[in-house]
Amino acid sequence: MSKKESTDTVQAAIAHEDTAVSVSSVTKSFTRWQRKEGSGKGGIRSIFRQERRTVTALDDVSFQIKRGEFVAYAGPNGAGKSTTMKLLSGMLQPTAGSVSVLGMSPERDRIRLMKKLGVLFGNRTELWWDHPVIQSFEWKKVVWDIPDPVYQRNLGMVTELLDIGEIRNTFARELSLGQRMRADLGLMLLHSPEVILLDEPTLGLDVVAKRQMIEFLKRINREEGVTILVTSHDMDDLEEMARRILMISSGKLVYDGSFDGLREITGNLTHLTVTTDGRKPELSGCRLLSGKNGVFEFEVDLSRLPIRGMLERLSRADGILDIEIRKAPIEQVIAQLYQNWRSIRLSL
């Protein structure tokens, strides 16, 4: 082996060690049986005759996630987010392509992988329903063979950071949704997973519970180096948590990058709130969204009207008392992107 080949091999091994999740050209299809549409005699026959239909949930999807990254995974209902999570955790196998988590195959090495992987689906619970929370924790310690020092350390960490000390002896069925989600997250982390997959972890949570969840996830990512892949329909939550976002639409990966990059695609939309003495400011190039009691909200595309030009127009307007400039809500940006992608798909 030449010196160059040896160097390339070492670099490839280092890159492999630095990769937490690898999805390569993955396609996942399902077969569904459906009744044929019809009326009269044909409709009666359709009860006994069904047609086979192939549904492609993921279509040639590829991405990699490095160790220690916090990545958001977004898309509309039916886009393929949950299917991806199930492939990564070994619940499903790809129709084509390959999946690797921490260098292991979720299909072939599932037992070994689960010792380093944590999975949480927001609409499901791993807690024993008719037992106190602490019994579910102790059950996992025994079944997963978690060493006592590791268990005690992690139990103390999740109890403090997730604020579950008061509910550890409460029956799972008596918990509120927010309490249950925190307890489930604590249970998932007892074995010190290196990678965690979260599918809608903030679903249905109130403001306080959601804030606790988000702050905890950011902290274990920052301080413990845990790699996190999270899905949510709340784009503001995702933007606060993650630094990178993968977007999927109709089974295809359509974006991989930063949240600011998404805004650039849509033209760098910005919201401008202007408070006046009651007079409506005339700002050419800005679209008026609302106006009441002297408070006017505009939308401006800074890629078309640079901020310098916008400020010049504001300086010429009369009666202005206060100005607030902020980025357009990420929800609006995503909604516009989905609409654009849908229009493109329908035109093909």
Side-chain angles (χ1 to χ4, degrees), residues 293-311:
N293 299 327
V295 179
F296 300 88
E297 185 163 5
F298 295 87
E299 180 182 87
V300 57
D301 185 348
L302 292 183
S303 67
R304 296 183 178 181
L305 176 61
I307 192 167
R308 183 173 180 177
M310 182 183 68
L311 292 175

Side-chain angles (χ1 to χ4, degrees), residues 337-348:
L337 284 173
Y338 286 157
Q339 185 176 1
N340 294 342
W341 291 331
R342 186 173 184 274
S343 298
I344 292 172
R345 190 169 68 250
L346 292 176
S347 65
L348 296 178

Side-chain angles (χ1 to χ4, degrees), residues 46 78 114-115 215 287:
S46 70
M114 290 308 293
K115 293 183 178 181
E215 290 302 323
R287 185 168 71 92

Side-chain angles (χ1 to χ4, degrees), residues 21 23 37 52 72 75 96 98 107 113 116 139 142 158 175 180 193 206-207 211 223 234 237 256 296 335:
V21 175
V23 174
E37 296 182 1
R52 180 169 149 178
S98 62
E107 180 181 359
L113 174 60
K116 296 187 176 184
W139 166 85
V142 173
V158 299
L175 300 176
R180 180 180 65 75
D206 61 33
V207 175
R211 174 58 45 202
E223 298 182 1
D234 192 322
D237 286 353
D256 180 355
F296 300 88

